[in-house]
Amino acid sequence: MTGEHPPPDGDEAAPAVDRTGPPRAGQPAGGPDRAEKPAGGPKRAGPPAGSPGRGVDLSGGLAALRGLLARPLASYYLLLSSAALLLIIGLTMVYSATSVKAFADEGSATATFANQAAFALIGLVAFWVCQRLPARTFQALAIPVLGVALTLLVILDGLLALAALGLLKVPILGPLEAERLWLFIGPVGLQPSEVAKFGMVLWGSDVIARKGAALGWWRELAMPLFPVVGLLFVLVGYNDLGTMLCLLAVVVGLLWAAGVRLRIFATLSVLGLAGVGLLIAAASQGGGSDGEGGNYRLDRLTLFFNPPDDCKLDLCYQMIQSRNALDTGGWFGVGLGKGSLKWDWLPAADNDFIFAILANELGVVGCFVVLALFGVLAYSGMRIARRVEGDFRRLAAASATTWLISQALINIGGVVGLIPLTGVPLPFISRGGSALLVTLAAVGMLASFARAEPDAARALHARPPARWVRLLWAPLPPLPAGRRADRSSAPTARSTGSGARRGADPGATKRRDGDARPKQGGTARPRAGSGSERRR
């Protein structure tokens, strides 16, 4: 018998717990199961160390990722995390790109960084305000924001045009001063083109949302969208071709989200190319921000498509120095703050070409991190546009995401040499107060829409945060229409369940329970079913 051979003394396995009571006569103390299989028998061997079972479970990781993305507030947290990390990287790179030059010019290494950090704080306030606003408030602000942007652009371009024609010695008129893309009103300077981007997002989304099904008619689509867009392109493109391309991307994103036909996109492409040709012709006549009579926009295109062997021009010098910064960075860079090309060797190192400084100091790995964060931002923005209810929210989310991502691609493409140089800042990262403030305001609007997604709104109302959190951070978003209808009948549903435990009338509960059962001696109502069942 196997019970006559106890396990060896060296077996350290814990004895099985006997849950069957005391052993019967002739039965080992370990119970019948213990008697059939010795405790010291061979154990089941697991997979070897190099087998796939001990490796990374790719399917499990994908399932976990899908589970995280299926959470109600996934869009909100993805948006906030990507924008916050990009902002932190931007402030770090601005300090790295300006500390040496700021110390040499102003005696303080943190002078330029402190200015950018102050605008970042103001931008966070703008983010907080926009996150708390509902969609109807953004619709109400559409015309005022676009009107302010158009007014500032007219003043900026007017002063530059008067100075180019010789009617003004310098582009200054009273407290107003124009300097390339900047308009100074007393001590305050801003870029009207940045305000125009946000205004175009709000106004275009509002107009197309109000048109609705009438967008199928050319007249309804063209009025008043095309005249205002054309005026905005002229006012912005007079000084800044890159910003005009960003506005064109906003319009394309709006029409794509609205579902217009492909031939409209073809028409817009032809009009856009014609506008670029007119701007190049205007630059050859001294128009634009430089006003030196040289066709600098045509020179940039020529240098891109046919670069000379020995380039000594200013425009080509900037492009060559940018390539040198990318080349010396390698995989991991020379180290944060250790790059030397930012010491006046690379023009606009803290603004339009800050991505070259990032590649030089953080290498390919740092560039990949930034590109991945912009990819997460693009995914979260388009996810919001797909999930949110309401035409205005959907159009505004899609166009704002198109604006931010297209501007990032235009900047990075110009720096690495994939497209001609246009001179637009990199969102979140380049130095510039107006651009950072407007960008954070747009992210705040996207955050407001992310909280208004149907699943997110239901989740927030199901487990609302504390009152002080709602007062200091953001109020509860409105519930979807179907959920509001359910809430109107919710007291009746609660009274039939847990309402009795909260002080409801117990007699009413008993009466409802009694109605559900036949009374003693009474006849129950026959159950609906087939004819044979009713006869039985």
Side-chain angles (χ1 to χ4, degrees), residues 48-74:
S51 64
R54 289 183 179 267
V56 178
D57 190 358
L58 183 59
S59 60
L62 293 177
L65 179 60
R66 286 194 295 266
L68 291 175
L69 295 178
R71 293 188 175 185
L73 291 169

Side-chain angles (χ1 to χ4, degrees), residues 304-386:
F304 175 76
F305 290 107
N306 188 21
D309 296 333
D310 186 14
C311 185
K312 297 182 180 179
L313 300 176
D314 292 339
L315 295 175
C316 193
Y317 170 80
Q318 193 176 25
M319 183 172 60
I320 290 177
Q321 291 297 88
S322 175
R323 305 282 176 82
N324 290 336
L326 296 170
D327 182 60
T328 56
W331 282 99
F332 300 100
V334 299
L336 184 62
K338 297 181 180 180
S340 59
L341 290 174
K342 59 193 177 184
W343 302 344
D344 265 352
W345 292 103
L346 177 61
D350 58 342
N351 193 354
D352 297 344
F353 282 83
I354 197 169
F355 189 78
I357 303 300
L358 187 146
N360 179 246
E361 297 186 352
L362 301 181
V364 176
V365 175
C367 295
F368 177 78
V369 169
V370 172
L371 291 175
L373 290 175
F374 275 113
V376 173
L377 182 68
Y379 170 77
S380 59
M382 290 304 176
R383 174 188 168 106
I384 294 168
R386 183 171 58 89

Side-chain angles (χ1 to χ4, degrees), residues 95-132:
Y95 176 75
S96 176
T98 60
S99 57
V100 175
K101 191 173 185 298
F103 182 79
D105 295 343
E106 304 182 26
S108 175
T110 60
T112 307
F113 170 77
N115 186 40
Q116 184 72 1
F119 276 106
L121 291 176
I122 299 174
L124 290 176
V125 173
F127 164 84
W128 178 77
V129 172
C130 291
Q131 183 187 225
R132 300 176 63 88

